Amino acid sequence: MNDTPGWTSPGSAPSDDQNGSGVPRPSAPADANGSAPQWSKDQPPAGQWSPPTGQTPPPAPSRGPGWGAPPPNAHWGRPPAAKPGVIPLRPLAMGEILDGAVKTLRSYWRTVLAITVTVAVISQIADILAQRYLVPEAPAAGPDATPAEALQSSLDAAQSSLVGLAPALLVTLMASLVSAALLTVVISRAILGKPVSLGSAWQEARPRLLQLVGLTLLLAALSAAIVMVGLLPGLLIGGSAGVALAILGGFGALAAAVWLMIRFSLASPALMLERQGVIPSLKRSAKLVQGTWWRIFGITLLTQLLIFVFAMIVAIPFTIIGIAIDGDGFSGLLSGTSTTFGWPFLIVTGIGGVITSAITYPISAGVTVLLYVDQRIRREALDLELARAAGLPGYGPAPGTQTVGG
């Protein structure tokens, strides 16, 4: 057996060498006279070749053909997304949505706090006046009252309180809608990294306010109708069976109302930023939420829980201070004769309410708007339009609009 022609391993003997000397020998005469060449007895040992002095052999390839290490950029991933404003222009994680809402409050705090503090002060003044002059004092149940009479007395007191607070609730609703409209414009500019003043936000939001009021009232009416349909069979039947049916129907109606509110939760930013009507905005929200209901529900629920915890952290100290300042209300609370507090308690707790609302309004509105933007980025590649609107190089000319909706 002979080696392959044209390939010889240095320092190794051919396979037909029988003398075991380890020195390669010619297999045929080397010249025309038939005489074999004179091989020297001093031959290098087999397999002892070494590179020239000062050089090292190339390393073995670790990936693919060729010598050397892989290219230095082989481990790089996608380039970072453009970030002209408070969020990166790509699909957002839950933490990035919450962080974007907080960054909007920090970066545009003058405009944001001018909106939220004004709205919170108006709402708290209306609430204080309603509690002081419109809400009747809760009647105390007699010591001989039966449990049914005590329950009926509590229901009557709650009904009277709701009737007395109705004007304050209406004022708070309108103020909250104005705040949501203005904050939507501010957040849409914050995504692009563009400055915005209170005046420009008002000019942008004012034409959409009536439609936003109509949208909010329509959603409230739908929720009330669903709850009423769930409770009505139990109320009609009456008795213990009716109570059980009303409880079961109430839970079912509550679940249906929550499902409906999440499905239409993006209608408000769609109305403001895409300049659509009430019904097209509801359809737009349903389309964007489709397939991601649980994700939007989870982010919304977590946001509301965080807001509730923050509100409790602020409200509890102000409530304690208000009770301590209002001596008459505190003594009545201890004796059990009255739970009505005076002006000191209402003013102190109202200050706490202003602080809470001024911080939580922009967070709640920011999460809603950023959820809307995130869904459009995932479904419609809105990030490209946002990059053009922000004037980033390489994305084409910026459109004339200054808001997300175009």
Side-chain angles (χ1 to χ4, degrees), residues 49-64:
W49 297 87
S50 61
T53 305
Q55 300 184 15
T56 57
S62 59
R63 293 192 186 97

Side-chain angles (χ1 to χ4, degrees), residues 205-216 271 278:
R206 183 172 54 84
R208 320 301 302 174
L209 287 178
L210 288 179
Q211 289 181 319
L212 184 61
V213 172
L215 173 64
T216 304
L271 184 146
V278 173

Side-chain angles (χ1 to χ4, degrees), residues 17-287:
D17 179 27
Q18 303 296 328
N19 55 12
S21 62
V23 179
R25 303 294 182 183
S27 59
D31 54 15
N33 297 327
S35 59
Q38 300 296 321
W39 291 82
S40 173
K41 296 181 179 181
D42 299 328
Q43 295 292 328
Q48 297 297 320
W49 297 87
S50 61
T53 305
Q55 300 184 15
T56 57
S62 59
R63 293 192 186 97
W67 297 97
N73 299 340
H75 63 281
W76 287 1
R78 293 181 178 180
K83 189 178 179 181
V86 295
I87 59 168
L89 301 184
R90 56 169 172 75
L92 303 174
M94 180 178 64
E96 291 172 326
I97 292 176
L98 294 171
D99 183 64
V102 175
K103 283 183 177 178
T104 302
L105 175 60
R106 286 205 314 258
S107 302
Y108 298 82
W109 63 271
R110 290 185 179 87
T111 303
V112 171
L113 291 183
I115 297 170
T116 57
V117 170
T118 303
V119 169
V121 168
I122 294 173
S123 300
Q124 289 299 322
I125 290 176
D127 183 66
I128 290 173
L129 294 177
Q131 291 189 51
R132 186 62 179 173
Y133 295 111
L134 299 180
V135 176
E137 183 178 352
D144 299 331
T146 63
E149 292 175 348
L151 178 60
Q152 185 63 37
S153 177
S154 299
L155 292 176
D156 293 340
Q159 182 179 1
S160 300
S161 298
L162 288 177
V163 172
L165 289 174
L169 293 176
L170 183 59
V171 172
T172 301
L173 176 62
M174 295 298 104
S176 300
L177 290 178
V178 173
S179 173
L182 295 175
L183 290 173
T184 299
V185 176
V186 172
I187 296 164
S188 68
R189 300 286 185 89
I191 293 173
L192 304 178
K194 295 182 179 296
V196 58
S197 63
L198 181 59
S200 60
W202 171 253
Q203 292 179 358
E204 186 76 23
R206 183 172 54 84
R208 320 301 302 174
L209 287 178
L210 288 179
Q211 289 181 319
L212 184 61
V213 172
L215 173 64
T216 304
L217 295 179
L218 177 60
L219 291 177
L222 287 175
S223 300
I226 291 175
V227 173
M228 182 58 64
V229 169
L231 295 176
L232 188 60
L235 297 177
L236 292 177
I237 294 176
S240 58
V243 172
L245 184 59
I247 294 175
L248 183 62
F251 280 112
L254 180 62
V258 170
W259 178 85
L260 188 70
M261 290 300 101
I262 296 299
R263 183 173 177 83
F264 294 144
S265 61
L266 305 183
S268 174
L271 184 146
M272 293 297 303
L273 300 178
E274 297 184 27
R275 298 177 176 86
Q276 299 193 30
V278 173
I279 301 302
S281 297
L282 294 174
K283 295 179 180 179
R284 183 76 166 128
S285 176
K287 180 180 178 181

